[in-house]
């Protein structure tokens, strides 16, 4: 039987419980189904939690070297199947095959490799004063992951959780089931002990509360919307479990006076349109010195015109479609809202890109002469829409940047020393200076409504560990 029609529970592929609804995984470039998957019911989630609970003691007591042997086998398989994973991501959520091959799929491999290396030298037991401090696996973990960077978000949770000795129930996005299924196949092939890894597809609004509220779950790690994060927190409260949340963002990109405007705007626009704007840390608000706004608009329009929008399977494509029909409608509605509220439409809009008549495509869109109270400056659009906001001085720029419910990421472009000073004042979990890319060894996570906790590198291990102090006699 096709494993896409099954869940992975207790070390084997199993038939879903009777009465499961199905969900079509739609290719957003063609609007045609790639697969039909079942959506788990309460009985399926219960079975997965029971399996992970039963497996926890054995897995947590398995020597670290043995756990890492399994992860090394998974890393080797992942590397072998990298082209398949990239193809699956491209078909399920529309990432251009170049982006899927060079960034989307390799991101998962990078997190897995990092986890193996970090675990080898991790101080699971250390001495502090006259006591021994033990870092022990937190227990059974529910991992709830999104569709926009599917393997990145699964592996930055799964790899450290397994490395430290936790067992997991993974609920991947139903919109990104193709890549998750490949991961399940690889995990089955390496022969992890039964119950250590379990995977059930499902509607997050339906199964999320069950995963969050079940007393057998010790940790819930969610990447998703702020609304989903609030729901998980409320459902988890009665059982006092640990909750780790990586949520939305509305990141400001401050272009400092005197910066290389051509370079800064070009980089900012391209970074915004990467992954069709569907990144929680996208630089969606560009703060520009007011006296340079006209020039910045011209550069932004020229850059957008150079972005090849089209078939994700074409290596020449730079920007693919929005990942699903629901999000496509939301992005178009917010573009219309920006026009309605009086922002200047520099380029783009709600019409289909030239030459395309099928698929969930949106033109690269730039608004300008906006203020920070407009809807397009407040809400996370999660599409290829950039909002340019003028500022008079750096005090105002910092105030605008921090005037948001979110605090995931920030960007500053200009003189290095000045950029560093401004970065230190931003209320965000990370800041990119002068075009610097992400660092998987650093901490990733946000302030305010962008979440709780940190992922990536050494910091991602802390989310899945409890601390025990052994007070020794003098």
């Amino acid at each position: 039987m096709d494993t896409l029609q099954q869940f992975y529970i207790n070390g084997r592929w199993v038939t879903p419980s009777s009465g499961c609804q199905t969900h079509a995984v739609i290719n957003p470039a063609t609007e045609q189904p790639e697969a039909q998957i079942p959506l788990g019911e309460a009985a399926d989630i219960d079975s997965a939690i029971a399996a992970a609970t039963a497996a926890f003691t054995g897995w947590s007591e398995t020597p670290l070297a043995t756990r890492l042997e399994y992860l090394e086998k998974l890393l080797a398989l992942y590397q072998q199947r990298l082209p398949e994973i990239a193809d699956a991501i491209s078909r399920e959520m529309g990432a251009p095959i170049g982006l899927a091959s060079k960034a989307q799929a390799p991101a998962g491999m990078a997190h897995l490799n990092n986890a193996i290396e970090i675990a080898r030298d991790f101080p699971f037991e250390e001495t502090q004063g006259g006591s021994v401090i033990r870092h022990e696996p937190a227990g059974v973990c529910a991992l709830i992951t999104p569709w926009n960077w599917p393997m990145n978000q699964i592996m930055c949770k799964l790899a450290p959780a397994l490395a430290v000795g936790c067992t997991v129930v993974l609920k991947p996005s139903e919109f990104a089931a193709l890549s998750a299924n490949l991961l399940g196949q690889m995990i089955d092939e390496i022969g992890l002990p039964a119950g250590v890894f379990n995977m059930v597809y499902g509607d997050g609004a339906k199964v999320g509360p069950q995963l969050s509220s079940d007393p057998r779950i010790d940790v819930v790690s969610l990447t998703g919307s702020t609304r989903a994060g609030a729901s998980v927190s409320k459902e988890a409260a009665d059982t006092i479990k640990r909750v780790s949340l990586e949520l939305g963002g509305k990141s400001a990109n401050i272009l400092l006076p005197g910066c290389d405007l051509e370079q800064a705007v070009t980089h900012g626009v391209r970074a915004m349109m990467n992954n069709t704007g569907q990144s929680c840390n996208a630089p969606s608000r560009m703060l520009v010195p007011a006296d340079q706004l006209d020039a910045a608009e011209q550069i932004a329009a020229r850059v957008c015109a150079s972005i090849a929008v089209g078939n994700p399977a074409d290596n020449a494509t730079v920007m693919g479609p929005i990942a699903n029909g629901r999000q496509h409608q939301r992005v178009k509605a917010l573009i219309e809202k920006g026009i309605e509220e009086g922002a200047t439409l520099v380029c783009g809009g709600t019409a289909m890109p030239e030459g395309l008549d099928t698929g969930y495509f949106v033109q690269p869109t730039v608004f300008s002469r906006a203020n920070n109270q407009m809807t397009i400056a407040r809400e996370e659009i999660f599409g290829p829409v950039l909002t340019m906001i003028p500022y008079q001085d750096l005090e105002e720029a910092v105030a605008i940047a921090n005037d948001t419910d979110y605090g995931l990421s920030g960007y500053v472009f200009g003189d290095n020393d000045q950029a560093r000073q401004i970065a230190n004042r931003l209320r965000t979990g990370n800041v990119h200076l002068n075009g610097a890319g992400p660092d998987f060894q650093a901490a990733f996570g946000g302030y305010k409504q962008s979440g709780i906790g940190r992922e990536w590198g050494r910091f991602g291990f802390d989310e899945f560990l409890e601390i025990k102090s052994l007070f020794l006699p003098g």
Side-chain angles (χ1 to χ4, degrees), residues 300-359:
R302 188 168 66 248
V303 174
C304 284
S306 72
I307 295 174
V309 183
N311 181 2
D314 187 338
N315 283 313
T317 295
V318 173
M319 196 179 97
I322 299 291
N324 58 73
R326 181 178 64 190
Q327 184 63 19
H328 184 234
Q329 291 302 314
R330 171 176 165 76
V331 170
K332 291 199 299 181
L334 284 166
I335 292 173
E336 291 170 353
K337 189 70 171 177
I339 296 170
E340 176 188 319
E341 291 185 351
T344 298
L345 185 64
V346 173
C347 59
T350 58
M352 285 282 276
E354 187 176 350
L356 296 170
D357 56 13
T358 302

Side-chain angles (χ1 to χ4, degrees), residues 48-62 67 137-143 157-158 160-170 192-198 216-219 464:
I49 296 172
T53 302
F56 173 68
T57 298
W59 181 246
S60 65
E61 295 176 355
T62 298
R67 296 200 299 265
V140 178
C141 304
L143 312 181
K157 301 177 191 295
L158 179 64
L162 294 181
V164 304
C166 292
T167 58
V168 304
V169 177
L170 170 65
L192 271 181
V196 170
F197 170 84
N198 306 274
R216 295 168 294 178
I217 295 288
D218 300 291
V219 178
F464 301 103

Side-chain angles (χ1 to χ4, degrees), residues 133-440:
I133 308 299
R134 287 178 51 79
H135 301 267
E136 300 182 343
V140 178
C141 304
L143 312 181
I144 304 173
T145 60
W147 46 259
N148 62 317
W149 284 87
M151 279 299 103
N152 176 75
Q153 288 308 124
I154 288 176
M155 202 60 80
C156 76
K157 301 177 191 295
L158 179 64
L162 294 181
V164 304
C166 292
T167 58
V168 304
V169 177
L170 170 65
K171 204 298 288 182
S173 170
E174 63 272 28
F175 294 101
L178 303 183
S179 57
N181 180 260
L182 288 174
L183 177 63
Q185 292 177 28
M186 290 184 281
I187 287 177
D188 185 56
E189 186 172 340
I190 67 172
L192 271 181
V196 170
F197 170 84
N198 306 274
M199 180 173 69
V200 178
Y201 309 124
D203 178 354
K206 185 175 182 179
V207 304
Q210 183 180 354
L211 285 167
S212 303
S213 63
D214 193 295
R216 295 168 294 178
I217 295 288
D218 300 291
V219 178
V220 181
S221 179
L222 164 82
T223 298
S225 67
T226 299
R227 182 177 62 181
S231 174
V232 164
S233 297
K234 291 172 184 175
E235 296 291 344
D238 286 343
T239 47
I240 319 295
K241 57 171 55 72
R242 181 179 300 183
V243 173
S244 175
L245 305 174
E246 198 272 280
L247 308 177
K250 194 67 182 176
S251 302
N253 180 10
I254 301 176
L255 310 191
L256 298 180
C259 73
D260 183 328
L261 195 67
E262 181 80 29
Q263 184 182 10
V265 174
T266 299
H267 179 271
V269 171
R270 288 178 177 166
M272 180 63 232
M273 304 308 168
N274 185 51
N275 205 41
T276 319
Q278 299 167 127
S279 299
C280 50
N281 61 343
S284 53
R285 292 181 296 152
M286 182 179 285
L287 277 51
V288 184
D291 61 357
Q292 295 183 288
L293 191 60
D294 288 344
E297 290 173 352
Q298 294 173 17
I299 297 167
R302 188 168 66 248
V303 174
C304 284
S306 72
I307 295 174
V309 183
N311 181 2
D314 187 338
N315 283 313
T317 295
V318 173
M319 196 179 97
I322 299 291
N324 58 73
R326 181 178 64 190
Q327 184 63 19
H328 184 234
Q329 291 302 314
R330 171 176 165 76
V331 170
K332 291 199 299 181
L334 284 166
I335 292 173
E336 291 170 353
K337 189 70 171 177
I339 296 170
E340 176 188 319
E341 291 185 351
T344 298
L345 185 64
V346 173
C347 59
T350 58
M352 285 282 276
E354 187 176 350
L356 296 170
D357 56 13
T358 302
Y360 304 134
F361 290 94
V362 174
Q363 299 177 63
T365 297
V366 176
F367 283 103
S368 187
R369 302 175 194 275
N371 65 66
N372 205 46
Q373 302 312 309
M374 290 180 175
T375 303
I376 55 172
R378 306 301 300 181
E379 293 193 20
E380 184 179 36
I381 298 173
F382 227 60
V385 182
L386 173 65
T387 300
M388 302 177 80
I389 302 172
Y391 70 86
Q392 298 298 325
D393 56 40
L394 286 177
E395 288 301 314
E396 184 184 22
V398 172
I400 292 171
N402 287 334
D403 179 20
T404 174
D405 292 334
Y406 298 105
L408 182 57
S409 192
Y411 299 75
V412 187
F413 211 105
D415 174 77
N416 284 327
D417 291 339
Q418 190 176 41
R420 178 67 180 273
Q421 292 171 12
I422 295 298
N424 291 344
R425 299 177 64 190
L426 299 183
R427 296 282 295 164
T428 63
N430 55 81
V431 184
H432 299 259
L433 303 181
N434 288 318
D439 178 358
F440 288 167

